[in-house]
Amino acid sequence: MEAWHGTEYLDALQEAERAGQVTAVMRERHGLGTPSNPVFPEMFRRPATAAGASILAGGLLRNPGVIHSPAGGTHHGMPDRANGFCYLNDPVFAILSLRASGIQRIAYVDIDAHHPDGVVHGFQDDPDILIISVHEERRWPFTGALEDRGVGQVWNLPVPRGFNDTEMASVRDGLILPRLASFRPEAIVLQCGADAVEEDPLSRLSLSNNAHWAVVSEVMRMTDRLLVLGGGGYNPWSVGRLWTGVWAVLNRIEIPDRLQPAAEAVLRSLEWRGNARGKSPPDHWFTTLRDSPREGALRDEMGVRLGQLEERARVWN
């Protein structure tokens, strides 16, 4: 873990877990014990397990394959600080592990509602790491401007409130797939955060889970080495349904119209104090995986932004 995180920070994180509290120095220096990085009983072990999974995945992908690690995707973690509920940065470990496996050109694609500031911090100056992020504009961590480019291989697309399935399809076909085709990565890491769907309380985007699944399906065609991570998601029903569908897409399993009773029982057993912003969960959250499509207009502002990125690609090439 010292390949990315500082020894002092790792020691502080483990000490906070042991003590169940933090000192003022830990809070100030490492961001621990704050509302966005709270103390909890497994605050080191849990993210360390996800980080270990990403390290393992990088080793396994020495050979072609597809790996799904939904507990991963903690893309905000900084070398010496916890950041945005992310104590360790497992996507960074995945990329470093792939490199250790001899894979040089790696693409990182992030469709979480929030910009992956930690991953960008680590690789924005590495020409062999392509970074593509589609995230809500004017949303924490308030990074990832359209104009940012790293050394030419960073592609940010901040999207407006109400971002819909039609617009995501345009982004997929107009930005994500062309950039991957041009870059020709040896491996792809896809962070598939569930907080961009309409029901999530921490974003104001309007995607259905169909949009995520379509991105996964198309990205999967672009490589023979793929690691799909989880990420954000703060509505347990939409998270579970979306990531289960991701697993189905990766395994080429048809998603049923109606769930089996055992699966329905799992969803009905979930509890969430913030459910649907105070409303009772609709019945289809228990009985189905697939949302109704949330299509709409491709707004002018989206067309302009995609056009700016297309022009940049022409100039850069």
Side-chain angles (χ1 to χ4, degrees), residues 51-63 67 90 93-103 106 187 189 225 227:
S54 284
I55 293 168
L56 176 61
L60 292 172
L61 288 174
R62 184 177 288 108
N63 299 312
I67 296 175
D90 76 276
F93 286 123
I95 293 169
L96 293 176
S97 182
L98 285 164
R99 277 276 174 83
S101 295
I103 297 168
I106 302 162
V189 178
R225 292 180 175 89
L227 170 60

Side-chain angles (χ1 to χ4, degrees), residues 20 26 42 51 58 67 69 76 81 143 152 157 161 179 225 232 260:
M26 290 178 184
E42 295 181 341
I67 296 175
S69 181
H76 298 305
R81 294 182 65 83
T143 54
L157 181 57
R161 280 182 151 201
R179 293 302 95 227
R225 292 180 175 89
Q260 294 289 332

Side-chain angles (χ1 to χ4, degrees), residues 18-275:
R18 282 191 295 268
Q21 59 185 0
V22 299
T23 66
V25 172
M26 290 178 184
R27 185 178 297 109
E28 177 64 26
R29 186 171 299 170
H30 302 300
L32 298 173
T34 66
S36 58
N37 307 305
V39 175
F40 66 96
E42 295 181 341
M43 62 187 292
F44 172 76
R45 284 172 290 165
R46 184 171 179 268
T49 301
S54 284
I55 293 168
L56 176 61
L60 292 172
L61 288 174
R62 184 177 288 108
N63 299 312
V66 177
I67 296 175
H68 186 205
S69 181
T74 52
H75 56 180
H76 298 305
M78 293 295 179
D80 62 348
R81 294 182 65 83
N83 189 35
F85 305 116
C86 299
Y87 299 84
L88 301 172
N89 197 315
D90 76 276
V92 166
F93 286 123
I95 293 169
L96 293 176
S97 182
L98 285 164
R99 277 276 174 83
S101 295
I103 297 168
Q104 182 67 17
R105 290 178 68 78
I106 302 162
Y108 176 77
V109 180
D110 195 307
I111 56 174
D112 191 287
H114 303 85
H115 180 249
D117 53 339
V119 179
V120 173
H121 177 80
F123 298 108
Q124 62 186 341
D125 295 324
D126 188 330
D128 287 326
I129 304 295
L130 173 70
I131 300 174
I132 303 171
S133 175
V134 183
H135 51 273
E136 185 177 357
E137 66 181 0
R138 293 190 287 274
R139 176 69 58 189
W140 188 92
F142 306 107
T143 54
L146 187 77
E147 297 77 18
D148 295 346
R149 57 188 298 171
V151 289
Q153 88 303 2
V154 173
W155 299 82
N156 289 316
L157 181 57
V159 299
R161 280 182 151 201
F163 182 59
N164 61 52
D165 289 3
T166 303
E167 291 172 323
M168 178 57 101
S170 294
V171 171
R172 180 194 69 215
D173 296 340
L175 172 63
I176 296 174
L177 299 181
R179 293 302 95 227
L180 289 174
S182 177
F183 186 74
R184 291 183 293 177
E186 299 168 74
I188 298 175
V189 178
L190 172 60
Q191 201 268 24
C192 201
D195 50 6
V197 298
E198 188 170 74
E199 296 87 356
D200 195 272
L202 290 193
S203 76
R204 294 296 180 267
L205 306 180
S206 297
L207 296 178
S208 76
N209 53 26
N210 298 281
H212 284 65
W213 298 342
V215 171
V216 173
S217 178
E218 293 301 319
V219 168
M220 190 177 174
R221 302 174 193 272
M222 305 293 290
T223 183
D224 59 1
R225 292 180 175 89
L226 175 64
L227 170 60
V228 179
L229 303 173
Y234 305 91
N235 174 326
W237 291 286
S238 57
V239 170
R241 293 167 71 244
L242 192 154
W243 287 347
T244 301
V246 167
W247 184 88
V249 170
L250 293 174
N251 287 278
R252 297 180 173 87
I253 295 172
E254 185 176 353
I255 294 172
D257 293 332
R258 171 93 189 201
L259 291 174
Q260 294 289 332
E264 181 178 340
V266 171
L267 290 171
R268 289 191 182 277
S269 70
L270 296 176
E271 295 181 359
W272 182 38
R273 293 179 183 176
N275 59 54

